[in-house]
Amino acid sequence: MDPITLVADQFRASAKIKRNCADALAPVIALAGALLADCLRAGGKLLVCGNGGSAADAQHFSGELLGRFERPRAGLAAIALTTDSSTLTAVANDYAYDEVFARQVQALARAGDVLVVLSTSGNSASILRAVEVAQAATVPVVALTGRDGGKLAGILGARDLEIRVPTSSTPRIQEVHILALHCLCELIDEALAS
């Protein structure tokens, strides 16, 4: 395939999934934005995690909140659980990789906090364990998933929210996840500015 056509086709595929998700995901993203803003306004913090590309997105989201998104404001309490290599490797070595986020949630999460998880498949064992620990601590979860939501969709409770991208393409799911995270940043900034 011609490289220019290949690139143009990727842009079109990305735009198509975003257009298809706009109306379906806007209500749940708005709810998640309100939940996160309420948490931060009340002095809580956001714990954010994912694996691979989703780990990068978790760090990106945390960075937007701790720094700034599009307008000047005080830093907001967000912790990417993906960034402490000593903790990640110690827990993976001494317990199991499945516990790398769960141990951090158990140690850091308090009433009033929210756990934000990203998993394109919804089947990542480390994410499932983190959600279980958060739920046991009555910490609500905002889950960004794809495909059919995987096992994660099945364990979410009434207090939890799922932002599910209904496609099987991992790159397209990740592209919508980053857009959803940017929407959450904007919703949080808007809510906290008023």
Side-chain angles (χ1 to χ4, degrees):
M1 176 182 282
D2 168 58
I4 294 171
T5 302
L6 186 146
V7 171
D9 285 350
Q10 292 295 307
F11 270 81
R12 287 186 197 96
S14 182
K16 180 179 179 182
I17 188 66
K18 289 172 184 165
R19 276 194 311 275
N20 290 345
C21 288
D23 291 335
L25 295 184
V28 71
I29 293 171
L31 286 172
L35 174 67
L36 300 181
D38 288 347
C39 164
L40 294 165
R41 188 183 292 115
K45 64 186 170 299
L46 309 182
L47 303 173
V48 192
C49 60
N51 293 293
S54 295
D57 290 344
Q59 291 169 223
H60 178 104
F61 183 54
S62 176
E64 298 284 25
L65 296 173
L66 285 163
R68 70 177 180 91
F69 183 56
E70 289 195 300
R71 59 180 97 175
R73 57 151 165 75
L76 301 173
I79 302 170
L81 304 179
T82 57
T83 59
D84 184 344
S85 60
S86 295
T87 295
L88 294 172
T89 57
V91 172
N93 185 64
D94 295 349
Y95 297 93
Y97 186 80
D98 296 359
E99 298 295 318
V100 295
F101 303 130
R103 297 283 296 187
Q104 294 181 77
V105 171
Q106 179 271 319
L108 300 171
R110 299 294 176 261
D113 294 344
V114 177
L115 175 65
V116 179
V117 298
L118 295 96
S119 175
T120 60
S121 69
N123 293 319
S124 301
S126 60
I127 297 297
L128 295 170
R129 280 290 300 134
V131 168
E132 291 167 357
V133 171
Q135 290 172 329
T138 65
V139 169
V141 175
V142 173
L144 286 82
T145 66
R147 297 177 176 80
D148 62 359
K151 295 175 185 174
L152 182 53
I155 67 169
L156 294 175
R159 301 178 66 208
D160 304 325
L161 296 169
E162 181 185 15
I163 300 168
R164 183 189 305 174
V165 183
T167 184
S168 59
S169 170
T170 298
R172 300 295 88 87
I173 295 166
Q174 290 173 326
E175 290 161 5
V176 176
H177 280 181
I178 200 67
L179 177 58
L181 292 172
H182 284 162
C183 289
L184 292 172
C185 289
E186 183 65 27
L187 289 164
I188 290 165
D189 281 359
E190 188 71 23
L192 297 181
S194 56

